[in-house]
Amino acid sequence: MKSVPLSEAFFHGAVSLEHTGRGIKPWRIPYRDYELFPPDGIGGKAEICAGVRLRLRTGSDAVAVRFEPLAEDARLDCIANESLRFTADIRRGEAKAVFSGFPEGANILEIYLPQNAGMTVTGLSVSSGFDAEPWPDNRPRWIAYGSSITQCADASSPSRTWPAIAARKLGFNLTCLGFSGNCHLEPMVARTIRDLPADFISLCVGINVYGAATLSPRAFKPALIGMLETIRDRHAETPLLVVSPIYGTVRETEENALGFTLPAMRQDVRETVELLQRRGDRGIRYLDGLALFGPEDAAFLPDGLHPNAEGYERIGARFAELAMQE
């Protein structure tokens, strides 16, 4: 196979790209500001590649992606001309994924990097006699912020997380800011969202605040207002969808250490959105998380908190139906 010069232009869905000397490492925060995102880059989740993908056009019948050896098992997906064609199972310590058997002629490929692991891409190759060029993504930009339920580590593969499914259905260019265990309305994350280009923004908030008891009923609303108003500093009219927690089994009735239940949290999220609407924000909307995943979906919640692969596919389809409704 023939190596293709690797450049930043191939990467989409990352907030920043670090040139390590060995390759290019995607980050979902501005990596130069790592120390401003404690602990350890949002709990170590900012270097995970959820939603990050390589996008190229080539006539080659095979494409290889090389990377630093992975620290854990993971999967890569290859979408050709908008359809998922191949999933590569990569074992811990492996450093290459090969996709082959593309239709004859020029194909637009999106290669999704793992949603459960970080990766430094070291090379890209195509069959001898062919070339590959970076391919732009001119679709409307969507920033999706949330918890592990937005990162979707347990999805079947990286293109089958619910944000990736919804992005394809809606025709969006996705940047996924789902940080497992680390969706706590941090001001630096709000500033990051504020500073990114966006045509649509969604925030799925509450479940990590409940689980870690990081914000009390007294502090939750002010923190949410602060995040939303920070985003509005530079996205004054960008459509902004605020989503409350999905169904959470015992969390529906059991108070956490600070006295929160999920129904109380949903009420606070709804009331916050209604407050900003009354103050003149015509672009903000509320979506009840139970409309995405409710008690009737409990069979797809094996640990009582995280959807399984089929559960994430249900959320993706429903989000695509509900997100753009007035």
Side-chain angles (χ1 to χ4, degrees):
M1 299 186 77
K2 181 180 74 173
S3 292
V4 175
L6 189 64
S7 72
E8 292 189 1
F10 284 104
F11 290 81
H12 296 270
V15 171
S16 64
L17 297 168
E18 179 185 7
H19 292 257
T20 67
R22 300 179 303 276
I24 298 177
K25 179 175 181 174
W27 287 86
R28 295 185 298 137
I29 59 172
Y31 78 90
R32 296 184 188 278
D33 295 330
Y34 179 91
E35 64 268 27
L36 300 180
F37 291 84
D40 301 322
I42 316 184
K45 301 304 186 293
E47 61 188 296
I48 290 174
C49 295
V52 179
R53 57 217 184 268
L54 305 174
R55 189 170 166 91
L56 60 141
R57 184 174 72 168
T58 183
S60 174
D61 62 352
V63 173
V65 181
R66 299 186 303 280
F67 37 84
E68 289 289 297
L70 290 184
E72 57 187 297
D73 294 352
R75 287 178 168 175
L76 280 74
D77 280 342
C78 184
I79 291 179
N81 306 320
E82 305 297 332
S83 296
L84 175 61
R85 293 186 63 89
F86 308 103
T87 296
D89 286 294
I90 309 299
R91 300 304 176 195
R92 177 180 177 180
E94 293 183 347
K96 183 170 72 171
V98 179
F99 304 98
S100 60
F102 300 112
E104 187 174 346
N107 293 287
I108 307 299
L109 308 181
E110 275 193 317
I111 299 173
Y112 276 76
L113 306 186
Q115 84 277 20
N116 66 321
M119 176 178 283
T120 298
V121 179
T122 60
L124 186 64
S125 301
V126 295
S127 299
S128 299
F130 292 91
D131 290 308
E133 61 178 326
W135 198 246
D137 192 340
N138 296 319
R139 296 171 293 184
R141 294 177 178 267
W142 170 28
I143 298 172
Y145 171 63
S147 65
S148 57
I149 297 169
T150 299
Q151 182 185 320
C152 307
D154 292 328
S156 296
S157 62
S159 73
R160 289 180 280 185
T161 66
W162 79 254
I165 291 168
R168 288 197 300 280
K169 288 180 177 292
L170 292 167
F172 282 165
N173 173 351
L174 171 67
T175 297
C176 178
L177 301 184
F179 301 118
S180 179
N182 285 273
C183 177
H184 297 285
L185 311 182
E186 293 94 336
M188 284 303 297
V189 175
R191 288 166 59 92
T192 297
I193 297 171
R194 177 198 67 185
D195 294 342
L196 290 171
D199 300 290
F200 175 60
I201 299 168
S202 66
L203 311 176
C204 297
V205 297
I207 192 62
N208 288 157
V209 171
Y210 172 95
T214 47
L215 294 169
S216 68
R218 166 63 179 82
F220 179 63
K221 269 188 179 180
L224 180 56
I225 290 169
M227 170 168 267
L228 294 169
E229 291 294 275
T230 297
I231 292 168
R232 282 303 195 215
D233 285 344
R234 294 184 183 171
H235 289 288
E237 298 182 358
T238 303
L240 178 54
L241 183 67
V242 188
V243 186
S244 60
I246 65 170
Y247 178 65
T249 58
V250 297
R251 297 161 188 82
E252 301 294 327
T253 54
E254 288 187 4
E255 293 185 351
N256 72 357
L258 296 176
F260 249 139
T261 62
L262 291 190
M265 188 165 279
R266 291 188 193 101
Q267 180 176 337
D268 278 359
V269 176
R270 177 179 54 79
E271 289 177 353
T272 298
V273 172
E274 291 173 348
L275 167 65
L276 297 180
Q277 288 172 334
R278 290 195 302 271
R279 289 177 56 85
D281 190 336
R282 292 175 292 183
I284 194 169
R285 289 198 304 115
Y286 170 71
L287 177 59
D288 190 330
L290 295 179
L292 293 176
F293 194 96
E296 68 279 6
D297 300 304
F300 305 98
L301 209 63
D303 66 355
L305 176 61
H306 300 94
N308 60 15
E310 185 173 348
Y312 284 128
E313 293 188 15
R314 286 173 170 243
I315 294 174
R318 290 170 183 168
F319 188 93
E321 293 176 0
L322 297 171
M324 297 293 106
Q325 292 182 3
E326 295 296 333

